[in-house]
Amino acid sequence: MRYSAAMRARLSDIAQQADVSEATVSRVLNDRPGVAPETRQAVLTALDVLGYERPARLRKRSAGLVGLVTPELENPIFPAFAQVIESTLAQSGFTPVLCTQTPGGVTEDEYVEMLLDRQVSGIVFVSGLHADTAANHDRYRSLITRPLPVVMINGYVPGIAAPFVSCDDREATELAVAHLVALGHRRIGLITGPDRFVPVQRRVAGYRAAMQRHTGLTEAELAELAELTLFGVEGGEAAASRLLDRGVTGIVSGSDLMALGAIRAARQRGLSVPGDLSVVGYDDSPLMAFTDPPLTTMRQPVAAMAVAATGCRMVVS
């Protein structure tokens, strides 16, 4: 097979990336024998890394569709989950189908019906209705009886025979409080989402336990230092403003976006962060390292959680 100058340039790039000869790259691309399996895989990986499309003969046949249902993508943590889950599924031969919810848009139940119509091999839910204690969870029981492999990230429903993958929200909040106490703070507030959500309940429990242990404040005193509101920048700003009126000097947030709202509330009052107010976020979203100053935040181990979820036997069986 003769190659154009442009193709030879691509062959050179791939060969350099895979640390093999151009002749070896050519043999792999033409699916010829005589190439060690590990060398063949190195060339295919180089193709993927450089953004070149694999020849049709070298593409894996899809092992099936897997639905990925996520909330809105405005919070950077959800695109982070989606990216790792989609990549991991693709490496296992599955074709991911991303279903993103938006206020007033397609609901979780409607997405599930669409996915079932397409005969998906499984569904991964990220921070879905399984995290909402006020929701009717019979929908998940029905899914499992089909039977359909289902995995749920960040949330928990008792009695559902499915894998649940979460980080330790309670422990993370306790660590955040301990960090602020070590900085000399005693009047520390908590801002997070509505208390019907399982992760919120865990964070509130961790906050109360840590504050009682480190500061000795009573339940009544702690009640006025916790503001449960809507997730997001606006919710964080409003909640932080109320806490600043009550004299807090440190704030533990339920998300990075809420933490940004708290910082905005402080700066609107002429306060500096962290000089006058210390703020701790939650998620360690990719962009938080570029805030001024960089946001102190509790990291959700997105990669580990996503790999654990997609590696569950119930999804890939």
Side-chain angles (χ1 to χ4, degrees):
M1 181 176 180
R2 301 181 67 179
Y3 296 102
S4 66
M7 175 59 77
R8 285 196 176 280
R10 289 197 291 272
L11 287 177
S12 175
D13 292 340
I14 298 167
Q16 184 177 6
Q17 179 71 30
D19 195 22
V20 298
S21 68
E22 292 184 26
T24 298
V25 173
S26 177
R27 296 184 72 84
V28 172
L29 295 182
N30 288 286
D31 202 21
R32 292 175 180 169
V35 180
E38 59 272 18
T39 302
R40 183 178 299 273
Q41 185 57 51
V43 172
L44 294 177
T45 300
L47 275 173
D48 298 337
V49 169
L50 294 173
Y52 294 133
E53 187 174 350
R54 293 189 184 191
R57 68 175 72 88
L58 300 179
R59 297 174 198 161
K60 286 184 179 179
R61 298 188 64 182
S62 175
L65 303 176
V66 173
L68 171 56
V69 183
T70 70
E72 42 75 26
L73 298 181
E74 291 182 2
N75 187 333
I77 198 65
F78 296 130
F81 269 115
Q83 182 176 14
V84 179
I85 292 172
E86 287 185 330
S87 174
T88 307
L89 285 172
Q91 290 174 14
S92 300
F94 290 92
T95 301
V97 180
L98 178 61
C99 303
T100 304
Q101 301 175 69
T102 55
V106 180
T107 66
E108 179 177 300
D109 288 339
E110 290 170 334
Y111 271 132
V112 169
E113 288 302 318
M114 294 179 193
L115 293 170
L116 294 178
D117 287 343
R118 287 159 177 76
Q119 299 181 328
V120 294
S121 300
I123 303 177
V124 180
F125 294 92
V126 179
S127 299
L129 292 174
H130 64 282
D132 188 344
T133 59
N136 184 341
H137 296 131
D138 288 342
R139 52 176 53 85
Y140 301 119
R141 296 183 178 90
S142 298
L143 279 177
I144 293 170
T145 58
R146 296 185 71 92
L148 182 74
V150 171
V151 175
M152 305 180 198
I153 296 177
N154 281 341
Y156 179 70
V157 180
I160 299 293
F164 291 86
V165 179
S166 299
C167 54
D168 194 334
D169 298 288
R170 175 172 178 146
E171 177 67 15
T173 307
E174 290 190 33
L175 290 172
V177 170
H179 170 72
L180 292 177
V181 168
L183 294 177
H185 297 281
R186 291 296 180 271
R187 197 159 180 80
I188 301 167
L190 172 70
I191 58 174
T192 189
D195 63 358
R196 70 177 190 270
F197 294 111
V198 173
V200 171
Q201 294 173 358
R202 293 170 175 168
R203 290 169 196 159
V204 170
Y207 168 77
R208 288 175 176 168
M211 288 292 287
Q212 288 175 339
R213 182 167 63 250
H214 292 293
T215 69
L217 294 178
T218 65
E219 283 285 346
E221 291 171 320
L222 291 176
E224 70 170 13
L225 296 181
E227 282 286 335
L228 307 186
T229 182
L230 297 177
F231 282 112
V233 174
E234 291 77 13
E237 180 180 358
S241 183
R242 290 190 289 270
L243 290 179
L244 287 171
D245 288 338
R246 297 168 197 162
V248 301
T249 61
I251 291 179
V252 174
S253 307
S255 73
D256 287 342
L257 292 185
M258 297 190 82
L260 294 180
I263 293 172
R264 186 161 71 182
R267 288 180 172 169
Q268 286 177 347
R269 294 171 179 238
L271 302 176
S272 70
V273 178
D276 301 310
L277 176 72
S278 292
V279 178
V280 178
Y282 193 98
D283 286 337
D284 192 23
S285 306
L287 295 178
M288 294 307 105
F290 302 99
T291 60
D292 183 21
L295 178 68
T296 297
T297 181
M298 305 303 296
R299 176 177 299 165
Q300 271 203 80
V302 172
M305 293 170 66
V307 170
T310 53
C312 286
R313 174 182 57 83
M314 294 187 68
V315 169
V316 299
S317 61

